[in-house]
Amino acid sequence: MFKLQENKTNVKTELIAGITTFFTMVYIVVVNPIILADAGVPFEQVFTATIIATVIGTLWMGLFANYPIAIAPGMGLNAYFAYSVVGNHQDITYQTAFAAVFVAGIIFVILSLTPFREKLIEAIPENLKHGITAGIGLFIAFIGLRLTKIIIAHPTNLVGLGDLKSPSAALALIGLAVTLVLMMLRVNGALFFGMIITGLIAFFTGQLSFDKGFISLPTLPEGLLVANPIAAFSDVIQHGLYAVVFSFILVTIFDTTGTMIGVANQAGLMKGDKFPRARQALLSDSIATAIGAMFGTSPTTAYIESSSGVAAGGRTGLTSLTVAVLFILSAFFGPLVSAVSGLSAITAPALIIVGSLMMGSISKIRWDELDEAFPAFLVILSMPLTSSISTGIALGFITYPLLKIVKGKWREVHPLLYLFAVLFFYQLAFLAH
């Protein structure tokens, strides 16, 4: 079913890859409820909804697309939901905002059933694809450094070196050293075993504790938040949430598309410009977005942390299936998951190393051609600096056709790129992002 031999992998490697991906992204089941709580959504509701959406999207990705890519509610999209959609509009409740997410999800499903999203992947120039992969790598490495306070905010230069003697930074650096040694020794599952060793060090040094126990039953205190599709569309029309729906769709399309291209490139799964089984893969996040909204979570996207599982050897949907099963189990181990994912130093080394591996794509960019190189450079630079994959892609999409026009090569640009250059310019200039 998963074509393990064809993809030059085995069950053990896929399971370890799935476990690695799970531990690098499981923080979302804690962070997402905390952010959406600022919009008034009960923590328990979002915790369970986050797991439901993640399991549905990731299972679809694994079983129907056979890719080692996990789906979960997106960071950034949840903040936009809580602070821009609900926080800035007194007349919009979180129930109404979830209606907008649901409508966006339904439109998203329709788009995914058409050739549109597949054509979009094929339309993205090779140099931009390599730039997206490298930009995501730099972004997730930056996340690992920032979460562990190795890099901190600086009043003058925006970022600076943190206190390397602090418990979090020191533990992350030890974990990084251990994981690098394991990788140099070519130990299978080095990223995963690095996290295990780092976790043990954290436990014995008192940084990791399990004060709230290990097990609790998941609950949905408010039941279904979007039970009537017709009422959801009515809410969007009544409150004029067209710009909100458009923003959700645009950001999610490119967050997911960019991440899938980056991870697939890293895993060697792209066939030239083609993304095999693209429609099945692209349906995963759209279906998960619609169903997740019904239970109470913001839009889903492909997770950049999937690249850690690919780095651990994951090549098929068995990796995704493993991630989905672990998320199902995590629903009953809320306190345990909260404790482990709450200590970023355990997972940060994997993010930093994977970031370095993904940066390898930078060598494939045609740096001697400015009209090809500069848009890719802008993508790479802006992803970590804006903390947004879609913003990086937007800037690349805007500058690429402009430079081609100036150079007289406008015919080389796919018509879809012109369309999205205009849409992205409109979004960056006039909509919240």
Side-chain angles (χ1 to χ4, degrees):
M1 177 182 181
F2 296 110
K3 301 179 180 177
L4 300 181
Q5 289 185 339
E6 183 180 320
N7 287 284
K8 299 177 183 178
T9 184
N10 56 59
V11 172
K12 179 183 176 183
T13 299
E14 294 292 302
L15 293 179
I16 288 177
I19 295 170
T20 301
T21 296
F22 171 77
F23 276 112
T24 56
M25 66 176 285
V26 70
Y27 67 84
I28 192 63
V29 301
V30 177
V31 176
N32 199 43
I34 289 173
I35 291 175
L36 294 189
D38 288 342
V41 195
F43 185 96
E44 296 81 4
Q45 181 82 22
V46 186
F47 176 82
T48 305
T50 299
I51 291 172
I52 290 171
T54 300
V55 169
I56 288 171
T58 306
L59 275 180
W60 188 284
M61 180 69 76
L63 297 177
F64 296 104
N66 197 26
Y67 282 123
I69 300 172
I71 303 292
M75 293 295 293
L77 289 164
N78 49 14
Y80 173 64
F81 177 98
Y83 307 121
S84 295
V85 180
V86 178
N88 287 342
H89 301 87
Q90 293 183 349
D91 59 329
I92 296 178
T93 64
Y94 64 81
Q95 290 92 341
T96 302
F98 281 128
V101 176
F102 176 79
V103 170
I106 294 300
I107 296 173
F108 210 16
V109 170
I110 295 170
L111 287 175
S112 299
L113 287 170
T114 69
F116 171 76
R117 292 183 73 186
E118 293 179 62
K119 294 293 184 185
L120 178 59
I121 290 176
E122 294 170 14
I124 300 175
E126 279 297 305
N127 285 281
L128 279 186
K129 286 177 181 174
H130 296 315
I132 289 167
T133 304
I136 290 174
L138 201 58
F139 181 28
I140 63 175
F142 180 72
I143 289 173
L145 294 168
R146 180 174 55 81
L147 290 176
T148 52
K149 302 285 195 299
I150 294 174
I151 286 178
I152 59 172
H154 190 280
T156 306
N157 298 324
L158 298 183
V159 293
L161 187 65
D163 179 8
L164 301 184
K165 294 180 288 186
S166 69
S168 177
L171 179 62
L173 290 173
I174 292 170
L176 183 61
V178 168
T179 309
L180 284 171
V181 168
L182 292 175
M183 292 188 74
M184 291 299 100
L185 296 175
R186 299 186 180 278
V187 174
N188 288 330
L191 291 173
F192 171 64
F193 290 118
M195 284 190 285
I196 293 293
I197 294 170
T198 308
L200 289 172
I201 294 171
F203 179 76
F204 288 114
T205 56
Q207 294 185 59
L208 179 62
S209 60
F210 304 99
D211 300 332
K212 297 180 181 179
F214 296 94
I215 300 174
S216 66
L217 291 174
T219 59
L220 279 169
E222 298 198 5
L224 279 179
L225 294 179
V226 179
N228 187 336
I230 297 174
F233 278 89
S234 175
D235 283 345
V236 168
I237 295 169
Q238 180 182 342
H239 292 88
L241 297 177
Y242 308 111
V244 171
V245 171
F246 172 73
S247 292
F248 278 140
I249 291 172
L250 195 60
V251 173
T252 308
I253 280 178
F254 282 94
D255 252 1
T256 300
T257 304
T259 301
M260 284 186 186
I261 288 172
V263 176
N265 258 335
Q266 182 196 3
L269 300 173
M270 294 286 288
K271 307 296 183 186
D273 286 343
K274 304 288 184 181
F275 186 44
R277 305 179 302 283
R279 187 169 300 182
Q280 297 92 318
L282 295 167
L283 272 169
S284 59
D285 64 324
S286 50
I287 290 171
T289 292
I291 295 177
M294 296 174 69
F295 288 94
T297 189
S298 47
T300 60
T301 183
Y303 253 61
I304 53 177
E305 286 83 356
S306 303
S307 54
S308 64
V310 169
R315 292 294 180 272
T316 74
L318 183 54
T319 294
S320 298
L321 177 61
T322 304
V323 174
V325 170
L326 290 172
F327 267 100
I328 293 172
L329 294 175
S330 73
F332 300 94
F333 291 89
L336 173 63
V337 171
S338 177
V340 174
S341 63
L343 189 60
S344 55
I346 294 175
T347 56
L351 297 181
I352 296 167
I353 291 170
V354 169
S356 74
L357 297 175
M358 295 186 74
M359 280 294 291
S361 291
I362 208 169
S363 65
K364 300 173 184 175
I365 296 171
R366 299 204 299 270
W367 293 107
D368 56 338
E369 300 177 34
L370 189 61
D371 54 326
E372 292 284 343
F374 187 79
F377 163 76
L378 206 54
V379 170
I380 296 167
L381 181 70
S382 55
M383 279 188 186
L385 294 185
T386 63
S387 296
S388 170
I389 293 172
S390 59
T391 298
I393 294 173
L395 293 174
F397 267 54
I398 291 169
T399 54
Y400 187 87
L402 287 176
L403 293 181
K404 288 295 183 182
I405 291 171
V406 171
K407 201 167 182 179
K409 295 182 177 180
W410 59 273
R411 290 185 182 86
E412 295 181 8
V413 181
H414 195 286
L416 276 177
L417 262 68
Y418 288 114
L419 170 63
F420 278 98
V422 173
L423 292 176
F424 272 129
F425 178 79
Y426 175 77
Q427 188 215 12
L428 292 178
F430 300 108
L431 300 179
H433 46 84

